[in-house]
Amino acid sequence: MNHEPNTLQGQTYFEAPEATKGQQFTNCTFQSANLSGKDFSGSTFTDCTFDHAYAKGADFTNASFDHCTLSHSSFKEASFKKASFTDSLGNGNDYREANFTKAAFTKSRENGAHLNGADFSGAKAEDTFYMPEGFTKGESIKANYRDAELEDKAEAFDKNPDLTKHFEKAWHKPFEKDLTSAEKAKAWDAMNRDPQIEAIKDRIQKAREEEQRLRDNPEKVIGVYRFVDREEDDDRLYMYPSGGYVISGYSKPDEPEIIQGHAIEFPDGSAYPYPEDLEMAEEGQGAYRTLRCDGVGKTLDEACDKADKQFDELRRSEEIESELRHLHPNFDEEITPNEVRANEAIDLAKVAKDDLVKERWVTISDRQDEKQVRFIEDVKWQMDQGKSLEEAYQLEKDRRKLENSRGAEYEALCTPETKEVLFKEEYQAVKDTGNTYRNLIKETEKRDRETESEAFQKAKEREVAAMHVYLRACDTAIHKEEALRQETIRYAMETGKSMKEALEEKGAESMQQSQVEALKKRYIEENRKENAPVMRGGMDELDDTFNPKRFEKRLEDWRIVHPDTQKEILTELAAQNDEPLDKEALKEPMYVRADKGEYVSMEGLTLHYTTPTRAIEKDEQAKAMDAIYPPKHYENYQSNVFPREKNLERNRTAIREAGTEKTQEKALEKPKRHYLAKRKQSQEKGRER
């Protein structure tokens, strides 16, 4: 059926529109709409939003997307042949087996996409277009797109020689320093396949020698750190630099803005230091400080110029925030709704009495400030790309929807019952240290400062020491809560897993860490009571057994042989020894490490250096540690946290039994009812028409 082109504006679709082919959609929203198999070829979408839409196998040939947002929608097996994307943002979409032949992308971004099997043959991309490497069949787009994550890694390589050394050691190959990120990715793959590449070794060695020369003979630099005064007059914010420090010293290699040296304070009311101040700093006068400076340079003028640029950016950010708060009185609720609700839920009467509540309250406020600062910086970036203030605000607000919804779902899942399971060790430490502290307060109150002055002073010293231990326990508990919250949300957004799964996995790991820390503490205390030495080997082994950060260090030289190659090796060994093939050995990975130009397996088998191998993935590290570094110490075997995998599963079960599944259903109940009501409402309107 042919339809005449129509301009459809401001519509919200909960189901597929009647006319789809060759239509003009402006400011329309496709909310959880089923667009599967629909023909949108030749249609134009301007300022449109696809939110949790289902468009499997849909045809978007020759379609254009201008200033559109595509969020958590399924375009599996869809056709985007010769489609164009301009200033569009995608987040968490499913493009598996989709066809993007000869598509064009301009100033568009795609974050967290599922692109397995997608075909980008002949596609072109300009400016920024984020995609995971290795998922596309097309070749032309690889030369054009910018992989932000890989460029960040490349920048880290350039800044940090130790990081470069770490990756070279892991891959057993030199890494060229002057290549672009895309070229580095290709060179990295080539080096992994062909160990004979030697062409870039000389340049790498010369660059290392130059870096070492600068480390051995660092150059002195000048830094300017300025205070900023703020005044408001007639709802307008005024900012100006007023006083600060000039410092002469040496910068931190990986963070040049951090300078350590002698600092001289210049007076309030002055935006710049005097030359005399710099002379005093260079002569070694003034306090020895470490400052993160606003401007750094070899001369005072250069440092001041950079400080001015940094101040201009700060003032612009403050002005943008002030303007947005004026235009949107509910700015806090719109940008950080979870933090606002969490703050409102805090009983302020308890803040003064309960240190744990007070620490949690402060953490929520800090998190809100941090998220708002990041939001303003992203709005600035959008404005630099040509967006108006309001357009940038709305675009970035839409991008925050996912993060806020995941945060709200986390809060619904992490009930008091679940928290009691997750942070049992931390909360028990707070309770124990708090009881000790309060008992010492009672003891101090019984003493009379005048009649028992010496006993009072000793009791007071013990009370103060106990107070510090108690406050540290509170700080540790809150830090663990916040760290788990951030890690769970990040993990769920990166992997696409549900918050329930993410909380169970990350929560189990966090509980594991708490348990082993408690085990180490108990081990130390028992040895101290018996005046026995603490075996450092046992403590290190506990860290290696349970700490994923140390997994990477211990496993960085180890790799896994490709399964097909492993089968060939074991088959050949069986034939040489006139034995049947050990099929059980095929089920377990074969771990090897480089040694004197060849690979050596865990069992001592030597393999040629060209044997296909791959790195050990994150989710395989626990199993690899069990196989490569099995625990040896008797006291570790007696602990209640062995073995690792069994303990993790037990922790997941404990979190699940604490009510995660029920709260998950409860958290999703309201959105489901809302969706059904909206759908029923749209159907009734359709009948009326």
Side-chain angles (χ1 to χ4, degrees), residues 566 570-571 574 579-588:
Q566 178 182 349
L570 294 178
T571 303
E579 296 175 351
L581 176 64
D582 186 357
K583 294 184 179 180
E584 291 299 321
L586 293 175
K587 297 179 182 179
E588 297 298 327

Side-chain angles (χ1 to χ4, degrees), residues 328-396:
H328 300 273
N330 296 326
F331 178 82
D332 289 339
E333 290 82 352
E334 293 180 6
I335 303 307
T336 54
N338 300 337
E339 283 70 26
V340 171
R341 285 195 295 271
N343 263 320
E344 291 174 348
I346 293 286
D347 186 349
L348 296 180
K350 291 183 179 179
V351 172
K353 297 179 181 179
D354 192 334
D355 291 297
L356 197 59
V357 175
K358 182 179 179 180
E359 290 291 332
R360 189 178 286 111
W361 182 46
V362 172
T363 302
I364 292 170
S365 299
D366 291 343
R367 188 169 70 218
Q368 180 173 352
D369 292 341
E370 180 184 346
K371 290 176 73 172
Q372 289 182 357
V373 167
R374 284 192 287 114
F375 179 84
I376 296 300
E377 291 304 310
D378 289 341
V379 168
K380 275 173 55 180
W381 183 87
Q382 293 287 358
M383 294 175 70
D384 290 339
Q385 309 307 310
K387 300 284 193 305
S388 67
L389 176 64
E390 188 61 27
E391 287 176 334
Y393 173 77
Q394 294 297 337
L395 186 59
E396 291 302 325

